[in-house]
């Protein structure tokens, strides 16, 4: 399945804090080609995670527009937004985001349970993905019984469960040691390449960023008021 | 997300926080136990009180006397009867055919002379009552101790408290009378050459098998119908010129059961129109029922307050769960969960908690009621009174279990709503 192009135009985001309003993105523009692999870098507070959340439909757009694969996210709400996240986006979180009360297999199956797929189909697909990320032998283990690298592989398998056209990874190796991080990055590269999905990764690590087609650098904004 | 998947997700979530879930279930169980125990006890007490009013018979029971109705026949529960009037087979058939009548039991009697086992007690005259003892449960007859005579026995009788008083016993010591024998003689007058009535008895040595409280007929001895008919056949052969008076009515009375408590009045009116005096505690029962209803409402209110407190516990536990699981809920949304999927999981969690709590609580409530019943029964038996039967009304089971589940779901609405409205951004942590 081919990736989706992304168009971000004049996006501004502002948060209210006790110390006043903080503008993390101001009139921000970005264009990403379908299937492109983009690294997003910048210091803390620059808006990297916010940008990812906006493109992933996790956060409402305050100003500007974001169009992903022809869909203007500003027009999506409620179930339509949930359907966008389910059908188009696959997330990989720094903290893995696995549900502790479910096994590795069940975590992957859960991601497929919001679209009406049969349990048999879900189980078969989960097994395929566990094989693909090399962790089939840990299928019935819960997150607490998995190492960081194993957990992130499960998270990656879950992100791929619904064959997303857009993969968003927020510091995917932030909690991993060098060797494990390297293996996870290779897996991320390979799976993104195999699926043709557009890949956006937030990272602090220049070495990680250099593996991508393009790097953008975000700068922190000044407190607005 | 379909319901089975949401149910499994909710179960897993409860399993993960088993300690808190168990405490919440316990709170619901305690409240449900209190509510069900109160309702079971009040139902048993209600049954016992009404049973006492109806003297063990059906609430819709009507006594028909072998007498014409008095001038105020329908104005009181127990009006004064008019002049004697025979009840024959035709009268029984006509009463049985009334629309508001469900069943009719005929009562027969014969005067007897009784000799108690102790020589210190003088022989005395009384009445032997007979009826179809297979239907004793449908009559206002309560066995205090022992049992009722077997239906066809010619040598077994039950006695009333009147007999106990005569032999110097009380309700508390009624058991002492059971197993003793009493000689019962049916009288018959014979022609006599001298200027007096010559009476001879047909004597039966009968075993006292039980002591009863009964309001079916004015008699101290209760036996089988065959026993009374044998006595009556002997007495009926009395010399008609001897002046020995016998009741001419074939039946001493009838016990009629109306087709429901609300039809007692119309049944009594119909029987009165047929020319017989009736009595029934319908007004008393109706008044007591109203008071008992008030007591039940108060007790149910206490239980419901407990359940409401438990519901607040569920709300609190789920709100805490929502606070703890903000990121998890965010992740669910990030991977495609809709608001209603998240809401559904939390409501199912609440429902499961309420269902298990209600089930455990209802069973525990029944156990508590049984223990209370045993304590109360011990007291009643010591007082020479029949015990209270503790049953498990189906309404209490259904209400206890489903009511708890529904209340828990209601209690879960606010936390579920709060969880559903959490922004998906929570998946990435606070901004």
């Amino acid at each position: 399945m081919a990736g989706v192009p992304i168009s971000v135009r004049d996006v501004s985001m502002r948060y209210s804090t006790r110390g006043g309003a903080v503008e993390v993105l101001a009139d921000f523009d970005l264009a990403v080609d379908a299937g492109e692999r983009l690294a997003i870098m910048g210091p803390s507070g620059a808006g990297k995670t916010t940008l990812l959340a906006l493109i992933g439909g996790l956060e409402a757009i305050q100003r500007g527009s974001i169009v992903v694969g022809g869909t203007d996210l500003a027009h999506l709400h409620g179930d339509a937004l949930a359907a966008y996240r389910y059908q188009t986006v696959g997330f990989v979180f720094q903290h893995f985001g696995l549900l502790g009360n479910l096994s590795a297999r069940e975590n992957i199956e859960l991601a497929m349970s919001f679209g009406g797929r049969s349990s048999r189909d879900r189980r078969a697909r989960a097994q395929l993905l566990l094989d693909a990320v090399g962790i089939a032998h840990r299928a019935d283990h819960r997150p607490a019984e998995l190492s960081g690298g194993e957990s992130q592989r499960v998270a990656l398998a879950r992100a791929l469960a619904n064959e997303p056209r857009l993969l968003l990874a927020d510091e995917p190796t932030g909690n991993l040691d060098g060797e494990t991080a390297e293996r996870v990055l290779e897996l991320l590269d390979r799976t993104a390449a195999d699926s043709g999905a557009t890949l956006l990764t937030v990272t602090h690590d220049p070495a990680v960023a250099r593996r991508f087609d393009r790097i953008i650098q975000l700068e922190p904004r000044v407190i607005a008021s | 997300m379909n319901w089975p998947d949401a149910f499994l997700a909710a179960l897993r979530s409860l399993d993960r926080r088993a300690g808190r879930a168990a405490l919440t279930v316990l709170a619901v169980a305690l409240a449900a136990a209190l509510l069900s125990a109160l309702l079971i006890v009040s139902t048993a007490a209600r049954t016992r009180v009404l049973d006492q009013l109806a003297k063990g018979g059906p609430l819709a029971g009507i006594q028909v006397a072998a007498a014409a109705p008095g001038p105020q026949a329908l104005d009181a529960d127990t009006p004064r009867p008019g002049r004697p009037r025979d009840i024959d087979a035709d009268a029984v058939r006509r009463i049985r055919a009334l629309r508001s009548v469900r069943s009719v039991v005929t009562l027969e009697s014969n005067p007897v002379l009784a000799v108690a086992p102790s020589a210190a007690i003088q022989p005395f005259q009384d009445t032997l009552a007979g009826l179809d003892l297979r239907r004793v449960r449908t009559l206002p007859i309560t066995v205090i101790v022992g049992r009722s005579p077997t239906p066809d026995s010619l040598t077994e009788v039950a006695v009333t408290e009147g007999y106990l008083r005569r032999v110097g016993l009380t309700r508390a010591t009624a058991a002492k009378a059971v197993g003793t024998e009493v000689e019962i003689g049916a009288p018959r007058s014979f022609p006599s050459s001298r200027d007096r009535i010559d009476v001879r008895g047909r004597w039966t040595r009968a075993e006292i098998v039980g002591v009863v409280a009964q309001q079916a007929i004015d008699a101290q001895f209760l036996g089988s119908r065959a026993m009374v008919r044998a006595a009556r056949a002997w007495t009926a052969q009395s010399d008609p010129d001897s002046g020995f008076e016998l009741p001419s009515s074939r039946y001493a009375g009838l016990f009629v059961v109306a087709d429901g408590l609300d039809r007692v009045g119309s049944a009594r009116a119909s029987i009165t129109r047929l020319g017989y005096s009736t009595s029934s505690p319908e007004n008393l029962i109706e008044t007591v029922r109203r008071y008992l209803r008030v007591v039940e409402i108060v007790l149910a209110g206490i239980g419901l307050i407990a359940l409401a407190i438990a519901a607040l516990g569920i709300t609190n536990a789920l709100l805490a769960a929502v606070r703890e699981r903000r990121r998890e809920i965010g992740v669910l949304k990030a991977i495609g969960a809709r608001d209603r999927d998240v809401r559904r999981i939390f409501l199912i969690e609440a429902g499961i908690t309420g269902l298990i709590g209600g089930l455990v609580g209802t069973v525990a409530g029944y156990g508590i009621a049984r223990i209370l019943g045993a304590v109360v029964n011990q007291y009643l038996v010591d007082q020479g009174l029949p015990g209270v039967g503790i049953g498990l009304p189906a309404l209490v089971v259904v209400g206890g279990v489903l009511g708890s589940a529904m209340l828990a779901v209601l209690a879960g609405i606010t936390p579920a709503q709060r969880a559903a409205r959490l922004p998906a951004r929570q998946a990435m942590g606070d901004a």
Side-chain angles (χ1 to χ4, degrees), chain B residues 318-336:
Chain B
L318 283 175
L319 283 174
V322 172
R323 277 193 298 275
E324 281 177 13
R325 292 157 64 184
R326 292 169 75 90
R327 179 170 279 184
E328 182 182 315
I329 294 163
V331 169
L332 280 175
K333 289 192 162 188
I335 62 176

Side-chain angles (χ1 to χ4, degrees), chain A residues 15 49-50 52-53 57-59 79 82-83 85-86 89 91 93 95 97 99-103 106-107 110-111 113-115 122 142 158 162 170, chain B residues 1-2 5 8-9 11-17 327-328 330-341 345 423-429 431:
Chain A
Y15 292 112
T49 299
T50 298
L52 221 54
L58 300 185
E59 183 133 28
D79 285 1
R85 292 193 290 255
Y86 176 78
V89 187
F91 279 100
F93 303 105
H95 57 81
L99 271 64
N101 52 330
L102 303 181
S103 68
E106 289 165 339
N107 263 288
L110 177 70
S113 68
F114 303 110
R122 291 188 320 227
R142 291 191 175 192
R158 184 182 64 183
N162 297 315
D170 184 21
Chain B
M1 182 177 242
N2 57 30
D5 286 333
L8 278 176
L11 269 185
R12 290 297 180 82
S13 178
L14 286 171
D15 178 45
R16 189 178 175 192
R17 294 162 182 84
R327 179 170 279 184
E328 182 182 315
V331 169
L332 280 175
K333 289 192 162 188
I335 62 176
R338 296 161 298 185
D339 287 1
R340 64 170 172 270
D341 294 322
I345 292 171
R425 171 71 195 258
Q426 292 292 332
M428 294 176 152

Side-chain angles (χ1 to χ4, degrees), chain B residues 126-144:
Chain B
D126 207 277
T127 304
L128 171 67
L131 53 107
D132 183 357
L133 289 165
R134 291 178 193 85
R135 303 176 71 180
V136 73
R137 287 182 184 280
T138 64
L139 293 165
I141 296 172
T142 306
V143 176
I144 296 171

Side-chain angles (χ1 to χ4, degrees), chain B residues 402-414:
Chain B
L402 294 185
S404 300
M406 283 176 64
L407 197 69
V409 170
L410 286 175
I413 288 177
T414 300

Side-chain angles (χ1 to χ4, degrees), chain B residues 236-317:
Chain B
Q237 298 299 316
S238 293
D239 177 17
D241 300 325
S242 64
F244 188 76
E245 285 192 13
L246 275 174
S248 57
S249 178
R250 179 178 174 186
Y251 298 111
L254 303 174
F255 190 76
V256 174
V257 180
D259 201 13
L261 195 58
D262 55 332
R263 305 198 71 177
V264 169
S266 63
R268 282 186 70 190
S270 299
I271 296 168
T272 302
R273 278 197 294 276
L274 288 175
Y276 291 98
S277 174
T278 62
S279 60
S280 164
E282 57 170 320
N283 294 317
L284 180 61
I285 287 172
E286 198 48 51
T287 305
V288 171
R289 276 176 69 170
R290 277 194 216 110
Y291 284 114
L292 287 172
R293 175 63 63 192
V294 172
V295 171
E296 281 172 359
I297 290 169
V298 170
L299 291 179
I302 293 170
L304 285 174
I305 289 170
L307 217 49
I309 293 169
L312 286 177
I314 292 175
T315 304
N316 188 41

Side-chain angles (χ1 to χ4, degrees), chain B residues 99-369:
Chain B
R99 192 174 290 174
S100 50
V101 167
R102 183 181 293 168
S103 65
V104 176
V105 177
T106 55
L107 307 168
E108 298 172 39
S109 69
N110 200 61
V112 289
L113 191 67
V115 181
S118 169
I121 300 163
Q122 290 290 315
F124 58 94
Q125 285 184 21
D126 207 277
T127 304
L128 171 67
L131 53 107
D132 183 357
L133 289 165
R134 291 178 193 85
R135 303 176 71 180
V136 73
R137 287 182 184 280
T138 64
L139 293 165
I141 296 172
T142 306
V143 176
I144 296 171
V145 63
R147 61 175 172 81
S148 57
T150 47
D152 298 317
S153 174
L154 294 172
T155 57
E156 289 181 353
V157 291
V159 295
T160 63
E161 286 184 81
Y163 177 83
L164 293 181
R165 281 193 295 276
R166 194 176 284 276
V167 298
L169 296 174
T170 62
R171 266 196 174 215
T173 57
K176 288 182 181 173
V178 177
T180 62
E181 290 183 334
V182 60
E183 288 187 68
I184 296 173
R188 178 166 162 184
S189 66
F190 287 86
S192 175
S193 54
R194 285 166 294 218
D195 190 19
R196 66 183 179 87
I197 302 173
D198 183 12
V199 177
R200 292 179 208 167
R202 176 185 178 278
W203 292 92
T204 302
R205 185 184 288 272
E207 182 191 357
I208 297 172
V209 294
V211 178
V212 297
Q214 66 98 7
Q215 229 182 24
I217 188 168
D218 185 16
Q220 287 189 17
F221 299 100
L222 192 68
S224 68
R225 184 180 281 173
M227 191 180 197
V228 174
R229 284 182 177 172
R232 191 172 173 80
W234 169 262
T235 305
Q237 298 299 316
S238 293
D239 177 17
D241 300 325
S242 64
F244 188 76
E245 285 192 13
L246 275 174
S248 57
S249 178
R250 179 178 174 186
Y251 298 111
L254 303 174
F255 190 76
V256 174
V257 180
D259 201 13
L261 195 58
D262 55 332
R263 305 198 71 177
V264 169
S266 63
R268 282 186 70 190
S270 299
I271 296 168
T272 302
R273 278 197 294 276
L274 288 175
Y276 291 98
S277 174
T278 62
S279 60
S280 164
E282 57 170 320
N283 294 317
L284 180 61
I285 287 172
E286 198 48 51
T287 305
V288 171
R289 276 176 69 170
R290 277 194 216 110
Y291 284 114
L292 287 172
R293 175 63 63 192
V294 172
V295 171
E296 281 172 359
I297 290 169
V298 170
L299 291 179
I302 293 170
L304 285 174
I305 289 170
L307 217 49
I309 293 169
L312 286 177
I314 292 175
T315 304
N316 188 41
L318 283 175
L319 283 174
V322 172
R323 277 193 298 275
E324 281 177 13
R325 292 157 64 184
R326 292 169 75 90
R327 179 170 279 184
E328 182 182 315
I329 294 163
V331 169
L332 280 175
K333 289 192 162 188
I335 62 176
R338 296 161 298 185
D339 287 1
R340 64 170 172 270
D341 294 322
V342 175
R343 190 183 302 119
R344 188 177 287 177
I345 292 171
F346 274 84
L347 287 178
I348 291 174
E349 273 188 45
I352 292 171
T353 305
L355 197 68
I356 296 173
L359 197 63
V360 172
T362 304
V363 172
Y366 178 58
I368 292 167

